[in-house]
Amino acid sequence: MSDILIHTEAGVTTLTFNRFDKKNSITSVMYGTLADALESAAADPAVRCVLIQGHATVFSAGNDIGDFLNHPPATQDSPVFRFLRSIAQFPKPLLAAVCGPAVGVGTTLLFHCDMVFAGDNAAFSMPFVNLGLCPEAASSLLVPQMLGYHRAAEALLLGEPFMAEAALEVGLVNRVLPPTEANDYAQSVARRIAAKPLSSLVETKRLMKRHHTQQVLDTMAEEGAVFGRMLREPAAREAFSAFMERRKPDFSKV
């Protein structure tokens, strides 16, 4: 069984995280699969909307740490960067249904979605500083834009979770539902969108995003360069060692 399930029906391509035993943590191979699927959906005139979803109890724990350490993103052509560019430039409506933990990229990918529907158990977190790293997916740009600077600083500098109702308040999610209903509700919205004319959908999205698409891509590239440098520095090495050894990291000497 694939770690990413891909299903297309009634004009909607649904991408489902399917690695429940690992809390839907994302590997390099999974990033490549997601990027390929998004590129295919963008080019397929029969697809008018894409929905990304997880399980009713967990969306994604973010990067698979072991896989990430063994296959760090070395270039801008790495699968993770291909995926990030794909969601940033995806020309058709992109939706997400989020239940349970959404950690790291599990949260930052949502800032590129056009609509997000959350279970009332959703917990969003961007704990990059806790790993000795910096934001990614243009979140250093998009999080302050959406949350406002002070709330963004709280989310990014503390790296602590915020819940579905807080995400609804700041506009990150469109609606909060019972976890068992979120995926189905998102699917129903996706099908309503897919019944509309593709040219209108594409042009409306393009016009809404035209002023900042390049800024998002430039920010992603800068973040990626800094992220790669910080990944090799003592703070990140201590954070990842502590994670693998199941202990609290000690940043007092880094």
Side-chain angles (χ1 to χ4, degrees):
M1 184 70 73
S2 173
D3 290 336
I4 301 290
L5 301 181
I6 304 171
H7 177 74
T8 300
E9 183 178 350
V12 178
T13 290
T14 304
L15 307 177
T16 304
F17 293 122
N18 187 46
R19 201 172 178 236
F20 183 71
D21 60 322
K22 299 294 186 181
K23 300 181 180 179
N24 290 338
S25 57
I26 309 173
T27 64
S28 179
V29 171
M30 291 167 68
Y31 279 123
T33 300
L34 289 166
D36 290 343
L38 288 168
E39 290 168 7
S40 177
D44 186 349
V47 175
R48 299 188 178 194
C49 185
V50 167
L51 169 63
I52 301 175
Q53 64 182 22
H55 188 269
T57 61
V58 60
F59 182 64
S60 174
N63 284 318
D64 180 298
I65 297 298
D67 180 84
F68 185 74
L69 292 175
N70 289 327
H71 305 97
T75 70
Q76 288 296 316
D77 292 325
S78 299
V80 60
F81 291 129
R82 282 186 55 226
F83 167 68
L84 296 179
R85 288 195 300 272
S86 293
I87 57 172
Q89 300 179 95
F90 191 69
K92 302 173 183 179
L94 180 63
L95 278 56
V98 183
C99 299
V103 182
V105 71
T107 288
T108 59
L109 74 84
L110 304 174
F111 289 90
H112 300 278
C113 293
D114 301 296
M115 299 182 200
V116 179
F117 305 99
D120 59 22
N121 63 341
F124 307 89
S125 61
M126 296 172 284
F128 305 111
V129 294
N130 301 338
L131 294 172
L133 298 171
C134 68
E136 38 86 311
S139 54
S140 63
L141 170 70
L142 298 175
V143 177
Q145 284 182 350
M146 180 171 288
L147 275 61
Y149 181 83
H150 290 99
R151 283 179 171 174
E154 182 178 10
L156 290 170
L157 296 178
L158 287 175
E160 296 174 353
F162 57 97
M163 305 305 290
E165 289 297 336
L168 179 67
E169 180 187 351
V170 298
L172 177 58
V173 306
N174 295 79
R175 182 169 296 193
V176 177
L177 305 121
T180 55
E181 298 177 14
N183 285 4
D184 287 344
Y185 184 84
Q187 187 69 228
S188 72
V189 174
R191 292 194 177 207
R192 282 160 54 194
I193 290 172
K196 301 181 187 299
L198 179 59
S199 59
S200 294
L201 296 171
V202 169
E203 286 302 316
T204 299
K205 178 169 178 174
R206 183 187 67 80
L207 288 166
M208 286 195 292
K209 293 206 165 192
R210 72 190 188 280
H211 293 303
H212 60 87
T213 298
Q214 189 58 52
Q215 188 180 18
V216 167
L217 294 173
D218 291 344
T219 302
M220 276 187 179
E222 182 175 359
E223 287 174 347
V226 176
F227 193 100
R229 171 176 58 76
M230 296 189 75
L231 192 59
R232 299 186 295 271
E233 293 179 347
R237 290 201 299 269
E238 166 61 15
F240 285 115
S241 295
F243 179 88
M244 301 303 287
E245 295 166 9
R246 299 182 182 277
R247 61 175 174 82
K248 185 177 180 179
D250 178 8
F251 296 122
S252 62
K253 298 179 180 178
V254 298

